[in-house]
Amino acid sequence: DHTISGQLVYTHSMETDYAKEFTVDYYEGGYALITLSDQSRFLCVPDSQKEILVPEDIPEDIVVLRQPVSNIYLAASAVMDMFRSMDAMDCITLSSIEQNAWHIEEARAAMEQGKILYAGKYSAPDYELLKASDCTLTVQSTMLEHVPEVKEQLELLGIHVFEDHSSYEESPLGRMEWIKVYGVLTGHETEAEAAYAVQKAAFERGTASEELHKKVAFFNVTTTGAINIRKPEDYIAKMIRMAGGTYALDGIEVPEGATGTMNIQMEQFYAGAQDADVLIYNSTIAGEIHSVQELLDKSPLFADFKAVKEGEVWCMSADFFQNSMELGTALQEIHEMLLLTGEENIDKSREGEFTFLYRLE
């Protein structure tokens, strides 16, 4: 039943390919109702309807937002790239990430020009600045669940909380399909559809038609010497399989908990990945490395790894995770990299054109 008011007439719902963590229902007159998987609901009222009052019989739990929503406090780093991809960054005026921590050039530039202000991190926002900036909506990541008192305080101030659940999507394409939700919020639905379509096409090009029989490990070394890996059901592990590889740590025992990563001891990693054809170092946490020697400095045991001996050690660039609308591009690169792996007389000039992957010297 799509009835939310006697005055609003339901017409249709958004069709999604992969996303399961949100729905969008449309009503006559350009109204749209977004429902998230945590059951929070947002009614977007078209800007042209300012003179039309919001129906009085709307259920109390529904947050009413006027499109396009502006003065957003963005505290979910993966979402900035979605706004950038649909040319809606002017809707964001406040950020929980400081200027130099952005890998997205447009976000850094906007902060440098004062178009986006730093408003404190998600767990300790600058409430006075949010209030003074007429902020009515904050887009948060699921990290906010660890600080319920912040959510409470934001709502007390009349700032609505929209929690991005794209990280809960089972499919990597489902993650990117969240751009459609932000298209509704900002009145950029056409641009959102177009940006998603580009990456969907890239995904199709990067998806292998057959298993390439290349075993891949994706990891980084923590400051304590533990190995941080992605769980077998994480989207990175899924992308490795989609690109035609097998994930080196598929059989690993996973403790309870929703996050995509976990730490294991070197011995356990050695057992699973010592014979991997390819090692991909995740630079987003501990920083980029550029040579195999830097990896050996972290642990001499890496010298025994097949991929190290064969020169098949790669690094995923530090900007990868913030470029959340480029998963199709990244998948294509993983696929191409796997095609190159172990091939002696193959043209490797394409490597230099990769955006997110580079081979360690």
Side-chain angles (χ1 to χ4, degrees):
D1 178 28
H2 298 282
T3 309
I4 52 167
S5 154
Q7 289 163 270
L8 292 183
V9 180
Y10 168 78
T11 57
H12 66 290
S13 297
M14 180 188 285
E15 284 185 25
T16 54
D17 296 328
Y18 298 94
K20 296 183 169 71
E21 298 287 324
F22 71 84
T23 58
V24 181
D25 295 331
Y26 295 96
Y27 296 81
E28 277 180 11
Y31 293 84
L33 179 75
I34 298 169
T35 305
L36 304 184
S37 51
D38 61 4
Q39 298 312 305
S40 55
R41 300 193 289 173
F42 302 83
L43 181 68
C44 299
V45 179
D47 198 35
S48 58
Q49 310 286 332
K50 278 231 162 103
E51 65 282 3
I52 295 181
L53 290 171
V54 176
E56 281 176 10
D57 57 350
I58 293 280
E60 271 181 23
D61 69 296
I62 294 180
V63 170
V64 176
L65 300 169
R66 294 207 180 270
Q67 291 165 309
V69 179
S70 56
N71 294 345
I72 292 171
Y73 167 48
L74 184 70
S77 60
V79 177
M80 182 66 87
D81 200 34
M82 297 186 187
F83 277 74
R84 185 189 63 82
S85 300
M86 61 183 184
D87 200 20
M89 276 181 57
D90 54 350
C91 298
I92 299 166
T93 51
L94 302 150
S95 162
S96 71
I97 292 174
E98 296 189 61
Q99 182 182 319
N100 56 8
W102 279 113
H103 292 289
I104 295 170
E105 229 169 280
E106 293 88 338
R108 270 208 309 267
M111 291 191 80
E112 205 175 322
Q113 293 156 13
K115 291 178 183 172
I116 297 178
L117 302 176
Y118 176 63
K121 52 190 257 185
Y122 79 95
S123 53
D126 182 340
Y127 297 114
E128 281 179 30
L129 178 59
L130 296 183
K131 220 40 206 154
S133 307
D134 287 331
C135 172
T136 53
L137 185 74
T138 172
V139 176
Q140 295 273 347
S141 77
T142 52
M143 297 288 285
L144 189 67
E145 288 164 19
H146 302 298
V147 280
E149 66 281 5
V150 172
K151 183 177 182 178
E152 211 173 298
Q153 185 60 35
L154 289 165
E155 287 172 342
L156 274 176
L157 292 172
I159 298 167
H160 303 300
V161 176
F162 187 99
E163 205 172 286
D164 180 84
H165 288 176
S166 60
S167 63
Y168 290 165
E169 293 290 351
E170 276 180 24
S171 155
L173 269 164
R175 295 170 88 96
M176 289 193 295
E177 205 164 5
W178 271 72
I179 192 172
K180 295 178 180 180
V181 175
Y182 299 113
V184 174
L185 283 178
T186 59
H188 284 69
E189 281 190 68
T190 315
E191 296 90 332
E193 286 282 352
Y196 170 72
V198 166
Q199 285 301 311
K200 190 182 172 189
F203 236 89
E204 280 156 11
R205 289 192 296 273
T207 301
S209 50
E210 56 188 1
E211 160 66 66
L212 298 172
H213 305 291
K214 306 278 171 68
K215 190 171 172 181
V216 183
F218 186 95
F219 71 102
N220 65 278
V221 184
T222 71
T223 47
T224 60
I227 307 292
N228 180 268
I229 62 158
R230 315 299 291 197
K231 294 180 182 176
E233 281 311 296
D234 178 68
Y235 77 108
I236 302 281
K238 286 179 180 169
M239 282 171 65
I240 287 167
R241 292 184 207 107
M242 291 168 93
T246 55
Y247 185 57
L249 298 147
D250 259 348
I252 203 146
E253 221 174 288
V254 177
E256 280 303 298
T259 94
T261 66
M262 59 188 263
N263 288 342
I264 59 174
Q265 290 310 307
M266 182 59 168
E267 293 73 23
Q268 210 179 349
F269 183 68
Y270 188 97
Q274 188 249 337
D275 64 343
D277 300 287
V278 180
L279 294 180
I280 304 177
Y281 192 78
N282 172 13
S283 70
T284 46
I285 299 164
E288 292 186 0
I289 60 173
H290 294 275
S291 67
V292 173
Q293 188 52 52
E294 284 177 75
L295 185 62
L296 295 173
D297 290 346
K298 292 177 186 293
S299 169
L301 282 175
F302 282 116
D304 294 344
F305 281 60
K306 176 189 177 187
V308 172
K309 290 175 183 168
E310 295 178 359
E312 295 295 348
V313 187
W314 295 70
C315 187
M316 186 65 94
S317 61
D319 57 353
F320 168 67
F321 286 97
Q322 284 186 9
N323 282 277
S324 57
M325 282 306 291
E326 297 275 352
L327 296 183
T329 310
L331 182 76
Q332 264 184 281
E333 290 182 10
I334 295 169
H335 179 59
E336 284 192 45
M337 180 261 292
L338 292 178
L339 291 173
L340 297 173
T341 304
E343 298 296 327
E344 281 309 309
N345 306 310
I346 200 164
D347 174 23
K348 297 192 175 178
S349 61
R350 262 290 290 133
E351 282 183 25
E353 295 166 29
F354 286 175
T355 308
F356 299 115
L357 278 175
Y358 59 88
R359 193 190 288 270
L360 295 190
E361 291 161 23

